[in-house]
Amino acid sequence: MTSLLAISDLHIGYQENRSIVERLRPTSASDWLLVAGDVSEKVSDVEWALGLLAGRFEKVVWAPGNHELWTHPGDPVQLRGEERYRHLVEVCRNLGVATPEDPYPTWTGPGGPVTVAPLFVLYDYTFRMPGVATKEEALAIAYDKGVVCTDEMLLHPDPYPTRDAWCDARIAETERRLEARPPGVPTVLVNHYPLVREPTLVLYHPEFAIWCGTERTADWHLRFDAATVVYGHLHIPRTTWHDGVRFEEVSLGYPREWRPRATAPGRPRRILPAPGPGA
């Protein structure tokens, strides 16, 4: 059966995860694969993985995660911020992989038609703990607890002054794109971060939620007629429902996280046709 599939957080810097990616195969020659970010910190690894998958799936759609945007000291490509993102977009385009900067493709297979919209929306520190009023206070609490995202060291927002300023610009551009899409066709929204806050409420370290999204996307699943929202980042693969819309967290995650799971690691989640109970 032809399917629209999704996976994220491949983290192929781990050899076990790289081996999983090497084994990934479509179930049908016309399957599509949505990759919701965090392929790797190194541009060459991102190019290798997406190129491999693009050669196997009819279409691959990529939305960036925070790890791709890091300027990692071990990566020969030392571009920062917006310049790094644009470079990754060009890498994807050369592979035939759809990005947030390209026309949104339309899935016409089972469960379609839907507009598949890969998004690049960052975070703005608004997923704060109860009673915390400001970004500065939220960061102080996180640093005091020793729960600090590596983004604070490696994800540079250039030319924007801050990551939340970059997020603001990305929200404006993404809203413009989504509002201009053809009317009357539902969407599958693909973003590295959850578009609503509720999935972060189960985090073991609630302080980490400030690096997991923005409250400004809380109504996008309704506003932009989402049939399904696909995301990763949390490394907590599961299905949840918000306002009657299905949200799919599709992370592979780190080996230490997927080893204890009963399900086989690296199996992409079926997005369309919508899976039945137990799928």
Side-chain angles (χ1 to χ4, degrees), residues 4 32 34 104-117 184-189 225-228 271-272:
L4 179 65
W32 287 21
L34 314 177
Y104 296 145
T106 300
W107 166 260
T108 58
V114 296
T115 298
V116 177
V185 180
T187 62
V188 171
L189 302 179
D225 195 22
T228 308
I271 305 304
L272 291 175

Side-chain angles (χ1 to χ4, degrees), residues 7-273:
I7 197 166
S8 75
D9 297 79
L10 296 171
H11 294 293
I12 65 167
Y14 292 88
Q15 182 56 49
E16 291 163 280
N17 285 25
R18 181 180 287 261
S19 297
I20 288 170
V21 172
E22 289 173 337
R23 296 193 300 269
L24 277 180
R25 294 290 192 284
T27 58
S28 160
S30 49
D31 284 354
W32 287 21
L33 183 65
L34 314 177
V35 181
D38 277 10
V39 176
S40 177
E41 299 80 24
K42 295 183 178 181
V43 171
S44 61
D45 280 349
V46 175
E47 184 172 19
W48 172 83
L50 293 181
L52 182 75
L53 297 171
R56 294 174 177 174
F57 290 82
E58 183 176 90
K59 192 168 195 65
V60 172
V61 178
W62 169 79
N66 54 314
H67 281 239
E68 284 102 335
L69 299 173
W70 287 359
T71 305
H72 194 280
D75 189 356
V77 180
Q78 286 291 294
L79 298 173
R80 293 163 58 116
E82 181 77 13
E83 192 176 7
R84 184 176 185 86
Y85 168 61
R86 297 291 169 175
H87 179 70
L88 287 162
V89 166
E90 288 307 311
V91 167
C92 287
R93 284 174 170 168
N94 289 337
L95 298 170
V97 172
T99 80
E101 305 308 310
D102 298 314
Y104 296 145
T106 300
W107 166 260
T108 58
V114 296
T115 298
V116 177
L119 312 179
F120 170 30
V121 179
L122 279 159
Y123 50 83
D124 59 4
Y125 304 90
T126 52
F127 285 0
R128 297 189 283 264
M129 295 176 65
V132 179
T134 67
K135 166 188 171 181
E136 292 73 22
E137 185 181 357
L139 281 168
I141 292 170
Y143 272 87
D144 184 61
K145 293 288 184 67
V147 180
V148 181
C149 185
T150 306
D151 289 7
E152 294 296 315
M153 284 66 76
L154 298 183
L155 203 168
H156 305 288
D158 313 24
Y160 300 93
T162 61
R163 282 172 288 278
D164 33 325
W166 195 6
C167 176
D168 184 64
R170 290 304 312 179
I171 287 172
E173 172 62 11
T174 306
E175 285 179 324
R176 183 192 68 77
R177 290 281 314 279
L178 289 170
E179 287 166 353
R181 77 195 189 282
V185 180
T187 62
V188 171
L189 302 179
V190 186
N191 192 51
H192 182 61
Y193 306 97
L195 296 181
V196 297
R197 181 171 186 167
E198 284 83 352
T200 71
L201 299 180
V202 299
L203 289 174
Y204 184 77
H205 295 289
E207 302 85 2
F208 190 79
I210 55 175
W211 292 283
C212 296
T214 168
E215 291 185 345
R216 293 174 61 189
T217 60
D219 67 346
W220 282 18
H221 58 295
L222 299 175
R223 182 177 165 194
F224 300 122
D225 195 22
T228 308
V229 176
V230 175
Y231 69 101
H233 189 58
L234 304 184
H235 295 196
I236 307 172
R238 59 178 179 151
T239 303
T240 56
W241 294 81
H242 307 282
D243 303 305
V245 177
R246 179 165 55 106
F247 279 61
E248 294 283 4
E249 209 282 10
V250 297
S251 297
L252 171 59
Y254 302 128
R256 68 176 182 272
E257 295 167 326
W258 55 253
R259 283 193 202 105
R261 295 174 191 159
T263 56
R267 180 183 175 188
R269 189 78 55 87
R270 195 174 88 210
I271 305 304
L272 291 175

